[in-house]
Amino acid sequence: MSDIKIAFDRAYAAIAILFLMMAQGSLAEEDDSLYQISTIGALMQGVYDGTMTFGELGERGDFGLGTVQALDGEMVAVDGRFYQVKSDGVAYSLSDSMITPFSVVTFFDAEETINLGGRYNLSELQGYLDNSLESDNLFYAIRIDGTFDYVKTRSVPAQEKPYPPLEEAIKGQEIFEFHDVEGTVVGFRCPDYVEGVNVPGYHLHFITLDRKAGGHLLDLEIEDASAKVDSISGFEMDLPENKQFYQADLSDSQEEELERIESNPRE
Ligand SMILES: [Zn+2]
C-alpha cells in the first residue's frame, strides 16, 4: 500500500514539475515576442478594415502602436492601456470592442536602459540607439519617458470606402507640435528584412504624460534622455481574414513610399 502511494506521489510530483516547466517556457516565450496583426504592405494598399478587437490585442501585448478601424487615427499602447489619437490631436481611450486593421504589440519588459547624455533630435537619437543596440537582426521595443523640449506628431482622419492607399490618405494628416512636454515615446526598431511585413528601422508614436494627446512621431528634441529597451526574438503575425486583404496586391514592398509615409511627407 505504502509503496503504491509513494509511486503515486512521485508520479504526481513529476507531472507537477512538468507543468511548471511548460508554464515557465510559455511565459518566457510570450514575454519575448512581437505580435502583429496584418502587414504594413496591406495597410499601405488601403486595407483599413480590421478583424481584431483591442480586447484580443491586449491579450498579446501591453505596449505598442498601430491604427484603428478605417485608419481612424494613431494607436498608442502603454502600460496595458490602448489609446487612439484622432486627427484632432486628442488621445481617446479605446474600448475592448473596437477594431484594429494593423497593430504591433509586445509585453514590454525593459532589459536595458540606454542613457543619452546631451541633446538629441529624432535622427540623432536613432543614430545613437543604432550604435547601442546589440544586433541589427533582432526586434527591439523602445520606451522613452521624460520631458521633451519639442515633439512633432501627426495623425490621420478616418477614411471612407473605397479606401485610398496610405500615401494618399496621409495627405489629409494633421500635424501637432508640443513644447516642453512630459510624455512617453512608444515603439519599435525592426530589422531591415521585415520589409513589406512591418516598418524596417524605427516606428515610434508619442503620448503625453496625462495621456491626452500624441500621435505618430515625426521629430523630437530631448536632453539627457534615457531609453528603456526590450530585445525581442519571437515573432508572431495574424492576417486579416477579409476580402479586402485577400485581394490586395502585396507583391511590391513599396519601400520608397513607406519611407515618405513614415517620415514627414511634406518635407
Ligand atoms: Zn505610426
Side-chain angles (χ1 to χ4, degrees), residues 65 74 154 203-205 216 262:
L65 48 76
E74 308 281 350
R154 70 114 188 275
H203 186 187
L204 304 169
H205 285 189
H216 172 101
E262 291 303 318

Side-chain angles (χ1 to χ4, degrees), residues 102-123:
F102 174 80
S103 283
V104 187
V105 294
T106 190
F107 287 100
F108 190 80
D109 184 16
E111 291 161 352
E112 192 189 347
T113 300
I114 297 170
N115 292 308
L116 302 94
R119 217 181 159 71
Y120 293 84
N121 64 26
L122 184 59
S123 68

